[in-house]
Structures are given as C-alpha cells and as structure tokens.
Amino acid sequence: AQRVTQPEKLLSVFKGAPVELKCNYSYSGSPELFWYVQYSRQRLQLLLRHISRESIKGFTADLNKGETSFHLKKPFAQEEDSAMYYCALRDLEYGNKLVFGAGTILRVKS
Amino acid sequence: GAGVSQTPSNKVTEKGKYVELRCDPISGHTALYWYRQSLGQGPEFLIYFQGTGAADDSGLPNDRFFAVRPEGSVSTLKIQRTERGDSAVYLCASSLIASGGVNEQFFGPGTRLTVL
C-alpha cells in the first residue's frame, strides 16, 4: 500500500542554518511527489512538485527512487519559513488523490 | 479570483446528529476532493468527484458518510449519526482536471467539526 513517512514531528533550527525535512515513501509504481506547506492561520498550499525540478522560496527537493525519499532542503533558513510541511504522494492508479505524511513543524529561531 | 471556500468554518454538534459540510470549488475546476485531517495527522483522502460523479469514494470510512455534487460545482459532505471520532478538520480541494497535465489541488480553509 502507498505510504508517506515523515519521521520528524518538529524540526527546530536557527536562522541561517541549513534545513532538511525528511520524507520517505512506499509505492509500487512510478510516484509523483509533492511538498505542501501550511503557514500559521493559512490554508494548505503547494510548495513544489518533483516533476517541476524547480526551487521555490529557496527550497528544493530531489526524488531518490533508490532510497524512496523526497527530502526537502534549504541551505539557509529564514524566520518566515516557520510552518507545517507535508510531503504527499499522488496515487496515479486511483485518479488524483493525494496520500499525505503526518507533517513536520519547522521552527526557525532568530 | 476567489479560492476554494468552505462553510461553516466551525461546526459543533452532538453525538448522533446529522451534519452537512459545504464546499465551493474554484470556478471551472472539474475535479473536487474531500479530505479529513485528525489532530496531529496529515490530510486523509475521503472521496473525489470528476464532474458530478464520484470517481473514487474508497476513503469514506463507513456508510454514515456520503457526498454529493449534483451540478458539478458545489459539493456537500453529509455525515449521519455523528460520533465523537468524527471530530476533525474536513478539507476540500479542487483542481482543473483529475489526471495528467495541470492538476494542482487547491485547498479550502477547512471546516472544523467537533462532536460532543
């Protein structure tokens, strides 16, 4: 069965420090992976998707099929990055539903 | 333009009561999704519509849950005989199409349901 695992409930870093939010998945086919972000008192929104291979707000994520991982990285954290981050997998066998991980709270301290 | 909207934003009900949660998707979006998010968890898929029909309802937990989208736009999630375990945030999302191509899901603010 498809599953997304985010091992860290909370990640706390200082401003300017590198950030890596971990995401591992299990999926039998070719996965499509996403990172969603939810800032305080805002709705869930797409941050980036692996097929775009783009950097958004300084964040990047590379799909590693060998390790079944899709970790989110940023070289220098900023206070405004503090938010809840969800890794999600699109289940291509069943339309467009998303399977989410439990989420990681990122706190960037000044 | 306006994003996905959901009403009510909060709903408190008593065990055993019936509730309806409404979702207004982005205009022109043919696909609509319902997710449920319990405390400390990520959103969990319930059902999705392509147009008026439910294309996948495999996430509905039991027959107390039902959703409709009669005109292919607004959707209503209906929960009968609510139980305390139904307490969660119910999220709605819409996308332009359901498969391939541009399919980003845009989420609403959610409805927080509390069953006493």
Side-chain angles (χ1 to χ4, degrees):
Chain A
Q2 58 274 34
R3 175 176 285 186
V4 176
T5 303
Q6 294 180 251
E8 302 141 328
K9 280 282 186 192
L10 171 67
L11 182 64
S12 189
V13 302
F14 283 102
K15 178 181 168 183
V19 170
E20 183 178 50
L21 300 172
K22 290 183 168 45
C23 172
N24 288 88
Y25 67 91
S26 63
Y27 186 63
S28 56
S30 248
E32 190 172 337
L33 275 294
F34 304 84
W35 278 97
Y36 277 80
V37 61
Q38 188 166 27
Y39 300 102
S40 179
R41 285 185 283 277
Q42 293 187 28
R43 62 187 67 190
L44 198 59
Q45 59 186 280
L46 179 66
L47 179 63
L48 54 79
R49 66 181 78 192
H50 91 270
I51 58 173
S52 299
R53 297 180 178 273
E54 57 194 346
S55 173
I56 304 293
K57 298 184 179 182
F59 284 98
T60 58
D62 292 317
L63 180 62
N64 185 324
K65 292 185 179 180
E67 296 182 358
T68 60
S69 69
F70 188 56
H71 303 326
L72 184 67
K73 299 178 184 179
K74 184 168 183 176
F76 308 104
Q78 298 173 310
E79 289 181 73
E80 54 265 34
D81 295 329
S82 295
M84 174 69 94
Y85 290 80
Y86 294 97
C87 182
L89 177 154
R90 179 180 166 217
D91 190 337
L92 295 170
E93 290 185 26
Y94 293 98
N96 198 24
K97 75 176 185 184
L98 295 171
V99 178
F100 285 88
T104 299
I105 299 170
L106 174 65
R107 285 206 190 119
V108 182
K109 302 175 287 190
S110 57
Chain B
V4 177
S5 61
Q6 293 185 245
T7 54
S9 55
N10 279 284
K11 176 70 177 178
V12 180
T13 190
E14 294 180 342
K15 180 175 179 294
K17 299 289 188 184
Y18 167 83
V19 296
E20 289 190 352
L21 311 179
R22 177 187 166 109
C23 172
D24 279 87
I26 293 172
S27 178
H29 280 193
T30 62
L32 183 146
Y33 316 80
W34 284 99
Y35 294 86
R36 176 169 72 171
Q37 187 170 21
S38 301
L39 195 62
Q41 301 297 318
E44 182 183 21
F45 171 78
L46 296 176
I47 184 171
Y48 102 84
F49 291 86
Q50 180 59 47
T52 60
D56 180 1
D57 64 358
S58 62
L60 295 177
N62 51 59
D63 61 6
R64 295 187 298 106
F65 288 74
F66 188 71
V68 295
R69 194 186 185 201
E71 296 178 0
S73 178
V74 170
S75 176
T76 305
L77 178 65
K78 308 179 181 196
I79 311 174
Q80 298 177 320
R81 305 182 303 280
T82 52
E83 299 177 357
R84 292 194 180 90
D86 298 336
S87 296
V89 175
Y90 289 80
L91 296 170
C92 177
S94 69
S95 70
L96 199 57
I97 56 174
S99 61
V102 178
N103 55 23
E104 177 181 346
Q105 293 186 28
F106 294 85
F107 283 82
T111 292
R112 182 175 297 279
L113 175 66
T114 303
V115 182
L116 302 177

